[in-house]
Amino acid sequence: MTTTPTTRHDVLVVGAGFGGMYAVWKFRELGYDVVGLEAGGDVGGVWYWNRYPGARCDLQSVDYSYGFHAEVQQEWTWSEQFAAQPEILAYANFVADRLDLRSSFRFDTRVCGAAWDEDDQRWRVTTDAGDVLEARYCIMATGPLSVPKDPDIPGLDRFGGELLRAQKWPHHPVDFAGKRVGVIGTGSSGIQIVQEVGRSAEELFVFQRTPSWTLPMRNHTLSADYTAEMKRHYPALRESMRLNPTGGTRPVTSRPFYSLPPEQRRSVMDHAWEDGGHTFLACFSDLLTNEEANEEVAEYVREKIAGIVEDPETAEALKPRGYPILARRVCLDTEYYETYNLPGVHLVDCLKHPIVEVTETGVRTEDGETELDVLILATGYDALTGALLAFDVTGRDGRRLADKWAEGPETFLGLMVEGFPNMFTTCGPNGPAALANIITISENDVDWIAELIGWMGQEGQTSVEPSERAETRWMDHVRELAAGSLVRKANTWWTGANVAGKPRGLTMFVGGFHNYRAACQAVAKEQYAELEFS
Ligand code: N01
């Protein structure tokens, strides 16, 4: 490792996903000296790493794209309603080329530590490439889903076949033809892998512990006429996204489930099922607050599973039970359930027969061993806080972020942390990340941070952090909303339940993106009265 001389900047951005790319562009445009650091070899964040077969975004491509640059959005054309990973990565590359973002990033560079120097009023950041960088402001655009989590199954390192991870997929093509393949995990990643690999492998064994809810995506290509229309209306579409609880163009409804008689409720769901999961998610307004309504919709989906999957035992095992629909990320799939009707695809019910170990030749459950050539892990992430706690972050008076968050993350607006001056997070814990469109959130967050820093410049302030009172107020609000939501009732990465030893609790703002944005704007409008400056 060679050591390069310490460099000094105005703004340091960690991460070259969509949040970090925008932050670099924004601060550069505003005339700051900005540098970005990225562990991966190029831009794209999760879309750089997640190259597994079938990887696709379940937000519409018109939503899952930047709105900050009128020309960029006119120049790029999406081919499908829901874009696949290669197209999303191509889009990230297009933006990086078009706006010359790479010249401001150092790639293949992982941050090892970040410490606030009170005397100098700057962050000092070290990297595994031997860099030391100092910056007045540090923006952690590290992403809520960037630290893969292996399952706690003994013997993983013993497996003699090919071991692949969804979240760190190899850059070369993987051929499954003639192979016996196993997949552990049936969240969004596992479901996408199963529906793809089930059609190319000789045999596929799906090791499912908790069944997820998944709805038909009904993806389609976008016509030239529609694309032209969309481009004509981009400004209005973007504005409507900012006012939408999902931060996208997904329809929302204020209609509670029991406001309609049973046959009409059924007809609404039938229509939405045919239209695609995107519409289905917007059928009723109270599915996360009314447990009885939630169960009726859940039962409707279970009936659909039974109608598609031919083997009754497999169908039964695929039906999620014991937690509300929408309390775990609902996936949008393409013939996922139909995959189980293929002769070579087998569901291994790990609730009945838990995995005991990975052996040299396969996976052993309490029911016996399945021999495999390839084992794919789709076992999720140490989400929301994982990336920020993966290196040492030391704030004012030597306070460590890991200590501050020992009982769970506390933030102000998911953007700042008391005791950690001039450090910002985009899509951070206690913001709406995961429950709303991450690109809309990122644009909101970066704009808010830039406005605050600009204001500080005018006011002659060099450091800022939220007061304890401000942070407590926000956290109380986040917790109060969470207490009224059924989302807390499932064991998921949303509630920290997927990582052993992680503090449990819903650390997301469930009040909708539009309300989150309004809360951010109110703080700016009040001239940051809740923040402390020096
Ligand atoms: O991860 P997950 P993911 N033995 O945590 C199982 C986004 N995303 O990568 O629930 C057996 O959801 C675990 O089982 P259980 C999206 O926000 C979006 O799939 O712990 N199984 C679960 O089934 C999503 O929510 C898109 O019982 C074990 C699975 O692994 C987020 O990323 C696509 C196990 C992990 O599921 C994460 O999704 C992909 C064990 N020991 C991802 N340990 C789209 O936009 C874990 N599991 C479409």
Side-chain angles (χ1 to χ4, degrees):
M1 188 169 77
T2 52
T3 305
T4 48
T6 302
T7 56
R8 194 168 255 217
H9 312 273
D10 298 326
V11 182
L12 199 142
V13 175
V14 184
F18 283 117
M21 288 167 67
Y22 178 47
V24 159
W25 180 83
K26 176 95 188 183
F27 282 95
R28 221 173 51 186
E29 283 292 294
L30 291 170
Y32 295 93
D33 169 7
V34 54
V35 65
L37 301 174
E38 165 59 50
D42 205 343
V43 295
V46 283
W47 303 103
Y48 171 84
W49 297 105
N50 281 243
R51 296 162 187 249
Y52 60 79
R56 184 179 290 283
C57 186
D58 57 11
L59 296 181
Q60 294 202 109
S61 20
V62 50
D63 296 6
Y64 201 76
S65 49
Y66 287 126
F68 72 87
H69 200 289
E71 285 138 43
V72 164
Q73 70 183 0
Q74 288 301 324
E75 289 164 21
W76 179 262
T77 297
W78 292 105
S79 71
E80 291 182 284
Q81 185 189 16
F82 297 97
Q85 177 270 339
E87 189 171 12
I88 300 172
L89 188 58
Y91 170 71
N93 277 283
F94 163 77
V95 176
D97 289 341
R98 176 69 175 70
L99 303 178
D100 181 33
L101 298 182
R102 286 192 190 81
S103 61
S104 296
F105 272 102
R106 296 185 197 174
F107 294 101
D108 298 308
T109 303
R110 186 175 286 280
V111 170
C112 304
W116 173 250
D117 183 331
E118 183 69 25
D119 294 336
D120 213 16
Q121 298 272 290
R122 277 172 217 279
W123 282 93
R124 190 176 167 83
V125 170
T126 51
T127 78
D128 65 352
D131 306 308
V132 181
L133 303 98
E134 292 174 348
R136 175 79 70 208
Y137 301 100
C138 192
I139 300 177
M140 301 294 190
T142 43
L145 293 162
S146 46
V147 177
K149 187 195 73 73
D150 273 0
D152 42 5
I153 301 172
L156 267 183
D157 51 349
R158 225 187 310 156
F159 183 60
E162 196 172 0
L163 184 68
L164 300 169
R165 289 173 174 81
Q167 324 91 332
K168 289 275 153 76
W169 198 262
H171 287 210
H172 58 81
V174 182
D175 184 11
F176 296 103
K179 294 191 178 149
R180 289 165 62 91
V181 181
V183 176
I184 301 180
T186 50
S188 300
S189 309
I191 283 176
Q192 292 187 328
I193 290 167
V194 166
Q195 68 196 14
E196 199 74 16
V197 177
R199 286 171 174 75
S200 58
E202 173 87 15
E203 283 197 280
L204 177 69
F205 298 84
V206 183
F207 294 88
Q208 170 193 271
R209 193 161 60 186
T210 309
S212 293
W213 299 100
T214 173
L215 304 167
M217 177 179 266
R218 311 224 191 274
N219 196 14
H220 55 79
T221 53
L222 298 175
S223 70
D225 284 352
Y226 167 73
T227 300
E229 207 169 63
M230 187 176 79
K231 287 190 179 182
R232 230 178 30 251
H233 293 287
Y234 256 138
L237 285 174
R238 298 297 182 203
E239 193 47 35
S240 74
M241 286 164 66
R242 292 179 198 115
L243 301 172
N244 184 303
T246 70
T249 56
R250 196 168 91 194
V252 278
T253 178
S254 54
R255 174 179 57 203
F257 184 79
Y258 290 109
S259 66
L260 294 179
E263 62 282 4
Q264 277 186 29
R265 300 198 294 254
R266 178 106 203 159
S267 149
V268 165
M269 287 191 283
D270 285 345
H271 173 263
W273 185 271
E274 285 317 310
D275 200 42
H278 190 249
T279 312
F280 195 90
L281 291 169
C283 284
F284 305 106
S285 61
D286 55 347
L287 297 186
L288 278 175
T289 48
N290 185 332
E291 215 153 355
E292 217 178 313
N294 187 294
E295 179 52 24
E296 290 213 34
V297 173
E299 196 48 34
Y300 176 91
V301 177
R302 289 188 200 109
E303 270 176 40
K304 290 287 183 192
I305 298 170
I308 300 170
V309 179
E310 288 159 9
D311 173 52
E313 200 184 329
T314 304
E316 202 47 41
L318 283 166
K319 292 179 188 170
R321 294 194 188 279
Y323 71 95
I325 187 166
L326 303 188
R328 167 185 286 251
R329 167 71 174 242
V330 172
C331 316
L332 301 187
D333 69 86
T334 302
E335 303 196 336
Y336 173 68
Y337 292 118
E338 287 83 346
T339 310
Y340 291 93
N341 295 335
L342 299 173
V345 177
H346 318 280
L347 184 71
V348 183
D349 184 351
C350 299
L351 289 178
K352 268 196 190 147
H353 307 293
I355 297 175
V356 177
E357 61 174 347
V358 173
T359 66
E360 273 178 24
T361 49
V363 171
R364 194 162 69 79
T365 70
E366 286 182 357
D367 198 34
E369 183 171 352
T370 304
E371 291 193 359
L372 302 168
D373 303 307
V374 182
L375 177 59
I376 301 173
L377 303 180
T379 45
Y381 298 84
D382 181 357
L384 294 164
T385 54
L388 285 160
L389 296 179
F391 52 90
D392 215 19
V393 179
T394 311
R396 190 167 37 78
D397 304 326
R399 289 171 74 188
R400 295 178 65 240
L401 191 63
D403 294 334
K404 165 138 186 162
W405 285 2
E407 303 298 322
E410 308 239 312
T411 68
F412 178 63
L413 296 171
L415 281 165
M416 304 175 79
V417 184
E418 180 270 330
F420 295 80
N422 291 9
M423 183 182 89
F424 300 93
T425 52
T426 63
C427 300
N430 311 308
L435 300 176
N437 179 358
I438 212 147
I439 298 191
T440 316
I441 304 172
S442 298
E443 289 188 345
N444 172 79
D445 290 358
V446 170
D447 289 346
W448 190 88
I449 297 164
E451 202 180 322
L452 168 58
I453 291 177
W455 187 84
M456 287 171 66
Q458 287 166 23
E459 298 292 314
Q461 305 287 4
T462 50
S463 83
V464 60
E465 64 179 291
S467 65
E468 258 186 83
R469 201 164 150 211
E471 197 169 82
T472 304
R473 177 186 74 75
W474 179 251
M475 291 308 303
D476 287 349
H477 184 44
V478 167
R479 289 188 186 114
E480 192 186 329
L481 290 171
S485 169
L486 297 178
V487 165
R488 72 189 191 291
K489 290 206 161 188
N491 290 330
T492 64
W493 65 265
W494 289 358
T495 56
N498 68 327
V499 177
K502 195 165 175 166
R504 292 285 183 101
L506 185 63
T507 51
M508 285 187 294
F509 176 79
V510 298
F513 173 76
H514 59 317
N515 287 325
Y516 171 71
R517 182 174 165 81
C520 295
Q521 286 178 337
V523 172
K525 200 168 166 214
E526 284 156 20
Q527 302 218 310
Y528 312 104
E530 288 183 284
L531 305 183
E532 288 176 350
F533 296 91
S534 60

